[in-house]
Structure formats: structure tokens, C-alpha cells
């Protein structure tokens, strides 16, 4: 068993930068005292400390880090030790300029910022190997070391000559012949045919921007190179510390952009296979002015569930803020109660930690106004510190839940490659692609009724789910279609929609309409797709109600499917908008238009009833009060969370034990605004 799995209780703490306070020994002493008061048991150190660890080439300075290990040992805490490749020292960029990234316009960047090295550079890889080896040799056997945090938030791309050469090698391995490449990318369009491998460049605004197959392969290549860099940088850690688990912190997209989704830049389903534990940095925009707190909670829940699903194992929240961030347009404080609610939400969805950025607020430079556990006032006598400390004490009462699993019967399919292709393809409505946002609309129906969901890739084992939701699965390989067919044939229930099965893995359109396996599965024929303008709606009659359509209306024809809903207007009036097809032992539904929450609620209500998916603990769940459950050692742990602005009463099927207060709880509970309870019962 690795060290993390063996360590009892949840991790509480986060990024700690004593390296910013070395000339303030009194502050470092105070930190330790404050950490104990906040029930902090874990620090992540050294994330950006390379310049301190190796001030000049080959000269190392670890005294300050030795002290952190010694101090954490005193309070029986853990150290998550980072490798420093996320930000390199000046001397390195100066002596070896090749380590600086080249952007898509071919410009070599000078030193600065972070997360911007070339991932091909042999010199950079070697320098990283050296420093990582030193760290592993020095701290690998230290009992306080819990885990490796490799680099930080990998992202971005490099277009230097070394990366270009790797790109061509990667393509040569994939395609073997130029002919195969020319065919895969459909290069007979616009005279794009290559006659020599040396002509193959990366996509660039100065050159090729229109070859969809190239863009898709480039994204695959960037993921492959990033993982390759990570693997090489982890090599000395794996060799010298086989019992210490390795992670790197994944990200989400767009928290300050009115959307919140897992990051799509790197294929995390591939990256997850290379880490021992999935971890991610969670920064939802609570209390914003474009949606309710419950909506923010739903999107955050979706991301947690996706990071759970990558390994079907507890993940870590590696960073979150105790109060506010500094990089949004408006950096709002969390309202009283939100810190504890949002942190327990992490646990509810499968996290085994609440870690922060950061423990002590920086005095200067770019993140000086980012929230932290210990603020500029340097006291414990403030709301943020108090809430963190209260939460830390609560976590200790919940220790037995660490490592607990989940019991999930609904899966939503998300595929990074399909998302890349879908976003890239021209045509249709450019601002209304909304791939993940649409998945979140489906997810919201289940989240709102406290029905747990996994978010899985098409190659997951679907047979363990009663319901698989796969709308807009644009790119489909033959294997994906076979898997969907097999799942339904064996008794599964599948929901899909317009935009599914449109292109192959090279982003070439699948000819002949809906591909045969899908046509057999759904019992329909695809005719055409109408893109609607903003504000333009047609309508669908479903049961006794009429619902508006949004953005896309697909025209289909039922072959062997039953028609459950029809369009009421436009040139496709009276044609099917929702079909159901019994395929061998199972059932496949097809939604032809983009529908809103009311329609989806009505549609899924029947499926939820038929498949008996309803939450078996909460009576009549409400959207704003969420219940998520984890399972361990014969117990179920229900997290009841009130994401509304008012107190709520929740009716429950059974009486339980309130783990935070240690008192029995009747079948009816009251939650304050932003209130949360953790209830235990025998499974
Ligand atoms: C990211 C980084 C951290 C810090 C935080 C601030 O998650 O990993 O180093 O900059 O953002 O929110
Ligand atoms: Zn490069």
C-alpha cells in the first residue's frame, strides 16, 4: 500500500512558501503554531523553489527545506514535496536559451513567469532529472514525506525546432507513410498534399490554421509530449522512492468566464493513467452575478465527479482558496459558511483532502492579494482563519470516511478527442457548440435529484451502469459504436442526441448519414441539421406539453424506433424529436434537438423511475440541497449540503447519526443557509 493510502484521516493544509519568509524566522515559527490551531496536517512545499534549491548550476541549498521537514515532523504532519520544473531559475534560461518556449508565431520567449518551458529540450529534461534526483535522494526516505507533487499545472505548447522534429517523428510513427497522412488529413483540399516529411510544420497563425485533422493530431501530440515529459521527470522519483505516490495537479477551465468545466487542453483521461492519484485545483466562482450558488455547486460537482471517474478512486483537491483568488475580474470573499460547505462538497464527491493555495499570504509580487489561511494581519483572530480552523477540527471528526468509495449507476460520456474535434470543426453555430455545457445540463438533472453520476470516456466499462448518457458524442471510432451497441444489447439504457457519430478519429465526416451501427441501435435515419439563431426557437410536443428548442434542431426519420415526441413547427413539423428504440435486451433514446431543463427533467423522470435510480435516502430531493454519499466498512456517509440562501428542511427515509456533533438524527433535519451535515448509517 502506498503512503497516502496508508495514512489515516483527510489531508488538510496546502501550498506553503517558507522560501518567501526566510529572513523572518519569527514568522516561520508562528506559522507552525497557527497550523496546529487550524488543524493543518499537510504542507505542499517547493512548487516554485528551484532558484533557492539550486541558486547556481550544480550548487544546492536545501537547509531551509530540511527545516520544513523537521518542523512538520514535530507536529506529526506530512510534506507533499514538489519538483520545481514549473518555474526555472534565471541561470538556466540564460545559459540554455533552448529551454524557453517558442510560441505559435515562432517567437522564442525570454525568461519569466512560469509553466513555460519547452517539453522537448534535452537540456531541460536533464536539469530537471538532476534536481529531482537530489530531492529524492535527500528526502525520499524521510518519514514525513507523503507524496510527490510533480511540477505544477502542466499546460501549453511549444513550437521550437526540437518540438517540430518531435512532432514529425510522432506523425511518422502514427502514419508510417506520407500517403496515409495526406489521406487522414484530407490534404487534397487547398493543395495541401505533402511530398516530403520535412514540409510538415505545426499548426500556426502564420501558416496552417485550417486543417482539422492536423489540429486534432497536434492536440494529441501535445498531450503525449506533456505526459512524456512528466514520465521522464518522475523517473528518478519512481526509482528512488517506489512507495511514495506521485501526482500532478490537474485544472479546470473558465472559472472566471461564466463557465466551469474540466480543462480540455490536455487529455486527462490519458494523463490519469500516468499518475498514482488524481489531484486538481478547484476554484469555483462562488456568489457570482450570473448564476445561483446552486448552479455553481452543480458545475463544481460535475468536475469533482469527472476527476473521481478518471481512476474510480478518491482524488485530492490540491488547491482551493480559503477566501478569494486574485486573478478573476472581481475577487469576492466567500460568504460566512461557504468555506466549510464548499470544502465538504469536495469530500462528498470523493476527495480525500482539502488543500489550499496557500497557507501564508505573500507579502509582495504577483499573488500578494490572493487569499490564504494566514493573512497579512498575521493573526488567528479573523473570520477566514476561524472558518479554516473550524473546518480542520470537523475533518478530524470525519477521519473514518477517508478512502471511502462511491456507488454510481449513471455515467455521462465525455471524450477529450471528441470535444477537440467538435470545437474545431467549422459550420453550425460557433458560439453555440457548448459541448461540456450541454453535458452539464444533463448532469444537472441527476445532481438536482441526488443521483450520483460518473463522467467517463467511451472506453470505460459501461456494463456497470444502468444508464449511460452520451449526447453529442461527435467523434466516434468503430470501437465506440460497438461498445454502445454491446452495452444496450446486454440490457443497458442509452441516451444520445444530435451531433453524435459525425466524424471518425481523423475528424473526417462519416459518410452515408448516421453510421450503420448507430442507425441499428437507435432505429432512426438522420436527414438534416438546422442551426438556430440566438433567440430563435421551434417547439416539441412531449406528452401533454410543448417545449422550446434551442440552437439545434435535427431532422430525423424513425425506422424501427418509437416516436415519443414530435416537432410542432418549422419545415420539420410533425417529424420525430425524441425516439425510443428497443434494441435486444436494452433501450436506446435519441434526442434530436437541444432541449432545456424542463424538457430534460420530464424526459429523465420516466427513465429514473423505470430504472429505479432515485436516491434512496432523501425524500423528494430539492435542487438546492444536495446529497452525495460515500461508502466504507459497512457504513454509508451522506453529505447533505444546502446551496441555497435560506434555511431548508430535508425529509429522510431513515434516522442516522450526525458525525460532526456525534448525536442521533431524526428523519427530518434542518439546514441553515449554506449549512451542511454528514450523516452516517449502516449500509
Ligand atoms: C494555480 C497555481 C498556484 C497559484 C494559484 C492561485 O492553481 O497552481 O500556484 O498560482 O493558481 O489561484
Ligand atoms: Zn520546444
Amino acid at each position: 500500500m502506498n503512503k497516502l493510502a496508508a495514512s489515516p484521516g483527510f489531508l488538510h493544509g496546502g501550498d506553503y512558501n517558507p522560501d518567501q519568509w526566510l529572513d523572518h524566522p519569527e514568522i516561520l515559527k508562528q506559522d507552525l503554531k497557527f497550523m496546529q490551531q487550524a488543524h493543518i496536517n499537510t504542507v505542499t512545499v517547493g512548487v516554485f523553489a528551484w532558484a533557492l534549491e539550486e541558486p547556481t548550476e550544480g550548487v544546492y541549498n536545501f537547509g531551509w527545506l530540511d527545516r520544513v521537514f523537521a518542523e512538520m515532523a514535530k507536529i506529526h504532519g506530512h510534506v507533499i514535496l514538489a519538483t520545481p520544473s514549473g518555474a526555472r531559475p534565471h541561470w538556466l534560461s540564460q545559459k540554455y536559451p533552448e529551454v524557453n518556449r517558442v510560441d505559435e508565431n515562432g517567437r522564442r520567449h525570454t525568461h519569466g513567469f512560469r509553466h513555460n518551458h519547452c517539453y522537448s529540450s534535452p537540456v531541460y529534461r536533464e536539469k530537471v532529472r538532476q534536481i529531482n534526483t537530489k530531492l529524492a535522494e535527500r528526502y525520499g526516505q524521510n518519514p514525513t514525506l507523503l507524496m510527490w507533487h510533480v511540477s505544477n499545472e502542466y499546460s501549453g505548447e511549444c513550437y521550437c525546432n526540437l518540438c517540430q522534429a518531435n512532432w514529425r517523428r510522432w506523425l511518422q510513427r502514427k502514419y508510417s507513410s506520407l500517403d496515409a497522412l495526406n489521406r487522414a488529413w484530407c490534404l487534397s483540399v487547398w493543395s495541401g498534399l505533402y511530398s516530403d516529411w520535412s514540409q510538415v510544420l505545426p499548426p500556426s497563425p502564420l501558416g496552417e490554421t485550417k486543417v482539422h485533422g492536423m489540429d486534432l493530431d497536434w492536440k494529441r501530440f501535445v498531450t503525449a509530449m506533456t505526459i512524456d515529459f512528466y514520465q521522464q521527470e518522475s523517473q528518478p522519483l519512481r526509482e528512488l522512492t517506489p512507495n511514495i505516490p506521485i501526482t500532478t495537479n490537474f485544472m479546470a477551465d473558465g472559472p472566471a468566464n461564466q463557465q466551469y468545466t474540466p480543462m480540455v487542453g490536455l487529455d486527462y483521461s490519458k494523463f490519469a493513467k500516468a499518475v498514482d492519484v488524481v489531484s486538481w485545483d478547484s476554484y469555483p466562482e462562488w456568489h457570482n452575478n450570473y448564476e445561483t450558488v446552486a448552479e455553481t455547486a452543480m458545475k463544481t460537482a460535475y468536475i469533482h465527479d469527472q476527476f473521481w471517474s478518471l481512476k474510480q478512486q478518491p482524488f485530492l483537491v490540491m488547491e482551493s482558496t480559503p477566501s478569494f483568488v486574485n486573478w478573476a475580474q472581481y475577487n469576492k470573499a466567500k460568504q460566512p459558511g461557504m468555506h466549510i460547505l464548499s470544502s465538504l462538497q469536495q469530500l462528498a464527491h470523493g476527495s480525500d483532502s482539502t488543500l489550499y493555495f496557500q497557507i501564508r499570504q505573500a507579502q509582495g509580487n504577483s499573488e500578494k492579494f490572493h487569499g490564504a489561511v494566514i493573512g497579512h494581519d498575521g493573526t488567528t483572530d479573523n473570520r477566514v482563519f476561524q472558518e479554516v480552523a473550524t473546518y480542520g477540527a470537523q475533518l478530524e471528526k470525519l477521519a473514518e470516511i477517508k478512502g471511502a468509495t462511491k456507488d454510481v449507476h449513471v455515467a455521462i460520456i465525455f471524450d477529450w478527442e471528441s470535444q477537440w474535434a467538435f470545437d474545431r470543426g467549422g459550420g453550425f453555430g460557433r458560439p453555440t457548440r457548448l459541448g461540456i455545457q450541454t453535458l452539464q445540463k444533463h448532469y444537472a438533472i441527476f445532481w438536482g435529484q441526488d443521483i450520483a453520476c460518473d463522467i467517463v470516456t467511451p472506453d470505460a466499462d459501461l456494463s456497470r451502469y444502468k444508464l449511460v448518457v452520451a449526447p453529442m458524442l461527435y467523434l466516434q471510432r468503430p470501437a465506440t459504436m460497438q461498445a454502445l451497441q454491446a452495452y444496450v444489447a446486454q440490457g443497458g439504457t442509452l441516451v444520445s442526441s444530435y451531433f453524435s457519430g459525425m466524424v471518425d478519429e481523423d475528424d473526417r465526416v462519416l459518410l452515408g448519414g448516421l453510421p450503420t451501427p448507430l442507425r441499428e441501435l437507435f432505429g432512426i435515419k438522420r436527414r438534416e441539421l438546422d442551426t438556430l439563431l440566438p433567440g430563435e426557437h421551434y417547439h416539441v410536443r412531449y406528452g401533454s406539453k410543448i417545449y422550446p428548442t434551442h440552437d439545434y434542431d435535427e431532422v430525423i426519420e424513425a425506422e424501427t424506433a418509437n416516436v415519443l415526441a414530435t416537432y410542432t413547427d418549422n419545415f420539420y413539423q410533425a417529424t420525430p424529436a425524441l425516439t425510443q428504440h428497443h434494441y435486444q435486451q436494452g433501450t436506446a433514446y435519441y434526442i434530436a434537438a437541444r432541449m432545456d431543463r424542463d424538457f430534460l427533467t420530464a424526459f429523465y423522470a420516466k427513465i429514473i423511475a423505470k430504472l429505479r435510480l432515485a436516491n434512496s435516502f432523501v425524500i423528494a430531493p430539492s435542487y438546492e440541497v444536495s446529497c452525495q454519499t460515500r461508502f466504507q466498512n459497512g457504513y454509508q456517509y451522506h453529505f447533505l449540503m444546502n446551496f441555497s440562501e435560506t434555511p431548508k428542511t430535508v425529509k429522510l427515509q431513515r434516522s442516522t447519526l450526525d458525525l460532526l456533533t456525534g448525536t442521533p438524527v431524526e428523519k427530518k433535519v434542518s439546514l441553515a443557509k449554506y449549512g451542511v451535515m454528514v450523516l452516517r448509517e449502516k449500509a
Side-chain angles (χ1 to χ4, degrees):
M1 196 190 301
N2 74 40
K3 262 193 102 167
L4 175 68
S7 92
F10 291 108
L11 306 184
H12 186 224
D15 279 33
Y16 179 46
N17 290 297
D19 36 317
Q20 295 174 8
W21 300 95
L22 292 183
D23 41 9
H24 289 274
E26 73 294 350
I27 284 188
L28 295 176
K29 248 209 199 115
Q30 209 186 40
D31 285 344
L32 210 68
K33 225 173 56 206
F34 286 179
M35 283 186 215
Q36 282 175 289
Q37 286 176 41
H39 303 265
I40 281 176
N41 56 29
T42 303
V43 294
T44 306
V45 282
V47 182
F48 300 112
W50 197 344
L52 196 65
E53 291 167 351
E54 191 180 358
T56 53
E57 189 169 11
V59 175
Y60 298 97
N61 162 31
F62 292 123
W64 65 278
L65 199 47
D66 294 349
R67 278 196 297 281
V68 176
F69 273 87
E71 300 278 276
M72 287 311 287
K74 277 193 216 153
I75 63 167
H76 308 290
H78 307 292
V79 171
I80 297 178
L81 184 56
T83 66
S85 68
R88 58 196 171 280
H90 278 279
W91 60 258
L92 212 160
S93 311
Q94 190 176 39
K95 182 159 176 199
Y96 309 103
E98 72 167 57
V99 305
N100 292 323
R101 235 172 230 185
V102 170
D103 67 21
E104 68 273 28
N105 291 312
R107 294 177 308 192
R108 170 87 61 190
H109 288 196
T110 55
H111 183 92
F113 198 46
R114 55 179 194 176
H115 306 147
N116 56 4
H117 59 83
C118 166
Y119 38 55
S120 294
S121 161
V123 173
Y124 199 61
R125 286 174 174 235
E126 174 56 17
K127 289 291 153 196
V128 169
R129 192 190 62 76
Q130 287 167 5
I131 183 77
N132 290 4
T133 304
K134 289 280 175 213
L135 289 169
E137 284 169 353
R138 194 170 185 101
Y139 302 106
Q141 308 309 317
N142 191 310
T144 303
L145 175 65
L146 180 71
M147 186 166 188
W148 290 110
H149 174 297
V150 170
S151 201
N152 194 64
E153 296 193 334
Y154 283 108
S155 59
E157 314 170 338
C158 179
Y159 296 77
C160 77
N161 289 336
L162 296 165
C163 287
Q164 293 195 23
N166 277 333
W167 164 235
R168 279 185 288 273
R169 259 195 294 278
W170 185 89
L171 289 170
Q172 273 165 336
R173 265 200 306 275
K174 174 166 180 182
Y175 291 103
S176 301
S177 76
L178 260 190
D179 266 2
L181 178 69
N182 281 330
R183 269 197 306 274
W185 291 358
C186 292
L187 290 175
S188 44
V189 174
W190 293 0
S191 203
L193 296 166
Y194 295 116
S195 58
D196 191 274
W197 281 102
S198 61
Q199 296 157 359
V200 183
L201 302 176
S204 157
L206 300 177
E208 193 56 81
T209 57
K210 295 288 186 202
V211 178
H212 295 182
M214 173 194 256
D215 288 348
L216 182 57
D217 270 335
W218 174 256
K219 286 187 154 34
R220 290 179 175 128
F221 165 75
V222 169
T223 291
M225 284 305 293
T226 305
I227 296 174
D228 185 71
F229 184 92
Y230 158 88
Q231 298 277 30
Q232 192 168 341
E233 119 146 83
S234 305
Q235 191 63 30
L237 316 178
R238 295 243 178 254
E239 277 163 21
L240 295 167
T241 64
N243 296 324
I244 305 294
I246 302 181
T247 191
T248 182
N249 44 346
F250 292 166
M251 287 188 271
D253 275 335
N257 194 23
Q258 306 208 0
Q259 293 172 1
Y260 198 37
T261 65
M263 189 177 92
V264 287
L266 292 173
D267 184 342
Y268 282 149
S269 68
K270 296 218 163 66
F271 212 151
K273 298 196 169 89
V275 300
D276 298 322
V277 183
V278 167
S279 66
W280 79 286
D281 299 342
S282 177
Y283 293 104
E285 221 180 2
W286 299 112
H287 322 292
N288 59 52
N289 57 1
Y290 51 82
E291 66 190 0
T292 62
V293 160
E295 275 323 284
T296 312
M298 178 277 290
K299 294 175 184 172
T300 309
Y302 176 98
I303 308 177
H304 286 311
D305 283 344
Q306 177 148 26
F307 285 124
W308 164 276
S309 304
L310 286 176
K311 275 191 175 305
Q312 302 284 341
Q313 274 171 19
F315 56 91
L316 299 178
V317 169
M318 188 56 84
E319 295 178 22
S320 56
T321 178
S323 46
F324 39 78
V325 296
N326 68 323
W327 39 256
Q329 282 299 305
Y330 303 97
N331 299 279
K332 263 190 93 59
K334 286 188 200 170
Q335 292 279 315
M338 181 48 82
H339 179 63
I340 290 176
L341 174 61
S342 59
S343 300
L344 283 173
Q345 188 196 24
Q346 303 165 355
L347 269 52
H349 286 270
S351 175
D352 273 355
S353 70
T354 293
L355 299 169
Y356 309 119
F357 182 88
Q358 60 179 334
I359 290 184
R360 185 178 277 273
Q361 195 167 25
Q363 186 179 10
N365 213 320
S366 84
E367 296 187 308
K368 63 179 180 290
F369 293 125
H370 195 290
V373 177
I374 308 168
H376 291 143
D377 65 339
T379 76
T380 58
D381 182 24
N382 62 70
R383 186 175 67 86
V384 169
F385 186 91
Q386 290 300 327
E387 287 201 37
V388 169
T390 304
Y391 177 65
Q394 291 184 343
L395 274 184
E396 288 170 2
K397 296 192 176 135
L398 303 178
E400 66 187 74
I401 308 175
K402 187 217 163 203
T405 185
K406 307 207 287 189
D407 185 27
V408 185
H409 302 285
V410 179
I412 294 178
I413 297 188
F414 174 76
D415 180 19
W416 270 264
E417 297 194 354
S418 179
Q419 178 65 27
W420 292 336
F422 184 53
D423 275 347
R424 184 63 192 86
F428 315 113
R430 286 169 199 265
T432 50
R433 287 286 208 279
L434 301 174
I436 307 182
Q437 291 70 22
T438 303
L439 296 186
Q440 286 179 332
K441 286 224 156 70
H442 287 255
Y443 174 86
I445 306 301
F446 299 96
W447 181 84
Q449 299 185 45
D450 302 333
I451 299 167
C453 288
D454 280 348
I455 321 289
V456 301
T457 47
D459 57 350
D461 172 13
L462 301 180
S463 69
R464 54 204 231 169
Y465 300 107
K466 292 184 187 165
L467 173 64
V468 170
V469 177
M472 303 168 70
L473 190 52
Y474 177 75
L475 178 157
Q476 292 200 28
R477 297 175 185 73
T480 304
M481 300 184 210
Q482 273 160 25
L484 295 176
Q485 259 198 351
Y487 166 72
V488 178
Q490 287 153 28
T493 300
L494 173 71
V495 176
S496 191
S497 77
Y498 62 95
F499 274 137
S500 287
M502 294 201 45
V503 301
D504 67 11
E505 62 183 294
D506 298 317
D507 202 1
R508 289 179 306 198
V509 173
L510 291 157
L511 300 178
L514 194 63
T516 306
L518 299 182
R519 191 170 152 188
E520 287 169 9
L521 180 53
F522 294 103
I524 60 165
K525 252 192 204 160
R526 184 175 264 165
R527 289 303 189 193
E528 55 181 308
L529 182 65
D530 192 17
T531 298
L532 309 188
L533 302 173
E536 183 181 13
H537 305 285
Y538 297 97
H539 300 86
V540 165
R541 183 190 312 280
Y542 177 52
S544 57
K545 286 214 174 112
I546 306 271
Y547 300 87
T549 66
H550 303 252
D551 304 334
Y552 300 102
D553 287 353
E554 189 180 26
V555 186
I556 61 171
E557 193 182 304
E559 292 186 300
T560 44
N562 307 318
V563 177
L564 302 186
T566 46
Y567 291 105
T568 61
D569 39 14
N570 208 354
F571 63 89
Y572 30 87
Q573 183 182 12
T575 68
L578 171 68
T579 59
Q580 174 202 49
H581 189 227
H582 298 296
Y583 178 77
Q584 300 190 30
Q585 310 292 307
T587 311
Y589 294 89
Y590 191 92
I591 307 174
R594 182 169 287 169
M595 306 302 295
D596 59 18
R597 189 170 284 178
D598 286 346
F599 173 89
L600 292 177
T601 302
F603 165 66
Y604 280 119
K606 294 197 175 139
I607 294 182
I608 288 168
K610 190 167 149 220
L611 301 178
R612 297 173 195 277
L613 296 171
N615 187 293
S616 63
F617 180 57
V618 179
I619 299 171
S622 76
Y623 191 79
E624 294 167 315
V625 178
S626 176
C627 175
Q628 298 288 329
T629 303
R630 290 179 73 174
F631 297 77
Q632 177 139 280
N633 296 330
Y635 286 111
Q636 339 187 12
Y637 300 93
H638 307 291
F639 292 74
L640 279 188
M641 301 166 275
N642 181 3
F643 290 104
S644 80
E645 310 296 330
T646 54
K648 292 273 153 135
T649 305
V650 185
K651 287 202 190 127
L652 305 169
Q653 296 283 4
R654 298 172 295 276
S655 41
T656 51
L657 181 79
D658 179 336
L659 266 194
L660 293 174
T661 61
T663 52
V665 169
E666 288 311 307
K667 292 192 201 166
K668 192 164 149 192
V669 297
S670 300
L671 293 167
K673 166 185 173 179
Y674 300 162
V676 46
M677 285 177 128
V678 184
L679 304 177
R680 186 181 79 183
E681 63 167 336
K682 283 244 152 58

